[in-house]
Amino acid sequence: MSNNRREIVSRITEDEINDLLLKLQQFLPDSTSRCTKRVSASKILKETNNYLKKLHKEVDDLSERLSQLLASGTITNIDEDAIRTLLNQ
Amino acid sequence: MTDHKNHQIPTAKPSSIKTRFAIKFLRAMNKLNNKNKNNKNTMSEKHKRFLAIRAAAHASMASAVGPRRAWSRAVLRKIPNQQKQLHYSLMNKQRTRRRNIRRNRILLITRGNPNRENYDHEENEDEDEEEEDLRELVPGGKEMDFCRLLNETAHYIKCLRTQVQVMTNILHHSSPSNILYK
């Protein structure tokens, strides 16, 4: 009897994990092609990791360029209007 | 059963996070700009500036998100002078700790379960390796259980994308062809 309950409990959590993994997959680029095929968990995790590394690298790159921009002295001060136009992009 | 709603992907308002991030980050940049008036351009100064901007970017994003996410709390903990933010996180800690204990108990049962229909049995090792990598990539990832890790990762990715978008916009607007003066 307790065996059954344990199976039920683990099945619910497996479903939750599958659900979360599928949702995570939607956040990854190129996810539309994979809607019908069932992808393994390790593949989703691997793509997630690659995507995260890529995003981190982009932030690093942008930080470097912004740093150069500050150094060259082109930005003196950024005002509220500029922020507003920026955010309306 | 009632735990289901805690596992849903969060409906964060990206527009307001975006606004808060942009303002905080720009303020940080202005601060850095004013500090560096002497304009020394040695390699170490350049590198320091780069590190400062990158740190400001991550800190501004975590600050914009606030203490309601585990990953942002993890980032905020590392920054000095973030005592205000930490106060909220201390209140949340108890609730999450209780929830995590419940979840970990369930997960301990699943972990040993060979009945994983959706995954190849041979790939379980790869999965563990990828999970470890993921825990390294997401702030605070090492202390979370697997379900929470996936949830936090999704939100973290959303925020990183916003971060990249705003920083790119700033860069394009500030390039020599389109200078911002005041």
Side-chain angles (χ1 to χ4, degrees):
Chain A
M1 182 107 68
S2 64
N3 226 356
N4 268 340
R5 189 195 297 170
R6 203 183 289 181
E7 260 184 40
I8 292 173
V9 166
S10 61
R11 226 183 293 133
I12 291 176
T13 329
E14 287 290 332
D15 285 341
E16 282 180 342
I17 293 182
N18 288 342
D19 202 36
L20 285 170
L21 281 172
L22 279 173
K23 284 191 178 141
L24 189 57
Q25 201 182 359
Q26 290 168 17
F27 280 95
L28 304 173
D30 310 322
S31 64
T32 46
S33 55
R34 256 166 251 129
C35 275
T36 48
K37 225 174 31 145
R38 190 187 268 174
V39 189
S40 71
S42 67
K43 190 145 195 285
I44 296 179
L45 287 177
K46 186 166 183 207
E47 289 201 19
T48 307
N49 291 337
N50 288 339
Y51 191 39
L52 273 175
K53 286 187 201 151
K54 174 171 166 245
L55 286 172
H56 281 162
K57 196 159 180 295
E58 267 186 67
V59 171
D60 286 353
D61 182 53
L62 287 165
S63 301
E64 176 66 47
R65 286 158 73 187
L66 283 169
S67 162
Q68 288 170 6
L69 208 54
L70 274 190
S72 65
T74 32
I75 308 178
T76 42
N77 224 342
I78 304 175
D79 59 315
E80 292 289 313
D81 293 328
I83 296 179
R84 252 175 248 124
T85 42
L86 262 177
L87 296 172
N88 290 332
Q89 300 298 320
Chain B
M1 268 58 75
T2 49
D3 265 341
H4 266 286
K5 63 174 169 237
N6 293 327
H7 285 304
Q8 282 170 13
I9 298 294
T11 51
K13 302 191 190 87
S15 53
S16 53
I17 289 183
K18 183 171 161 181
T19 311
R20 288 199 296 272
F21 165 67
I23 292 178
K24 285 175 198 270
F25 181 56
L26 285 169
R27 284 203 193 125
M29 289 248 288
N30 275 334
K31 238 187 182 183
L32 283 170
N33 204 15
N34 291 330
K35 248 207 286 183
N36 231 7
K37 282 305 186 189
N38 32 14
N39 258 338
K40 284 179 273 179
N41 238 350
T42 60
M43 279 308 268
S44 63
E45 284 296 317
K46 279 190 201 165
H47 191 60
K48 266 194 232 170
R49 210 163 31 225
F50 156 70
L51 290 174
I53 290 187
R54 186 178 66 173
H58 288 300
S60 304
M61 183 46 93
S63 177
V65 169
R68 58 189 145 98
R69 287 259 120 199
W71 72 261
S72 59
R73 286 198 293 274
V75 175
L76 291 172
R77 264 195 289 270
K78 294 196 198 146
I79 309 169
N81 298 328
Q82 290 297 324
Q83 301 305 317
K84 273 184 287 180
Q85 311 277 4
L86 278 178
H87 181 63
Y88 281 110
S89 75
L90 284 173
M91 295 195 302
N92 279 328
K93 240 194 215 175
Q94 272 235 296
R95 188 171 43 129
T96 34
R97 196 179 292 154
R98 266 185 255 126
R99 209 194 318 149
N100 280 339
I101 291 172
R102 239 182 299 147
R103 279 197 209 158
N104 282 333
R105 236 182 262 141
I106 294 175
L107 279 170
L108 275 174
I109 298 170
T110 28
R111 278 305 166 148
N113 190 353
N115 226 2
R116 292 182 155 211
E117 295 153 23
N118 287 324
Y119 323 138
D120 278 54
H121 291 284
E122 303 86 59
E123 290 190 5
N124 272 349
E125 266 184 34
D126 295 340
E127 192 183 307
D128 287 339
E129 203 181 297
E130 295 298 335
E131 179 185 330
E132 245 181 76
D133 286 349
L134 184 58
R135 288 183 186 276
E136 297 272 322
L137 288 166
V138 175
K142 295 180 196 141
E143 283 100 41
M144 303 174 199
D145 61 70
F146 193 54
C147 277
R148 166 138 284 206
L149 179 66
L150 296 181
N151 203 327
E152 293 283 316
T153 305
H155 189 262
Y156 186 50
I157 288 181
K158 257 209 280 195
C159 291
L160 275 178
R161 283 213 281 243
T162 306
Q163 198 173 329
V164 167
Q165 187 187 6
V166 172
M167 287 171 83
T168 309
N169 276 343
I170 295 177
L171 199 59
H172 286 165
H173 275 266
S174 310
S175 65
S177 55
N178 208 345
I179 300 170
L180 298 164
Y181 283 117
K182 192 45 186 166

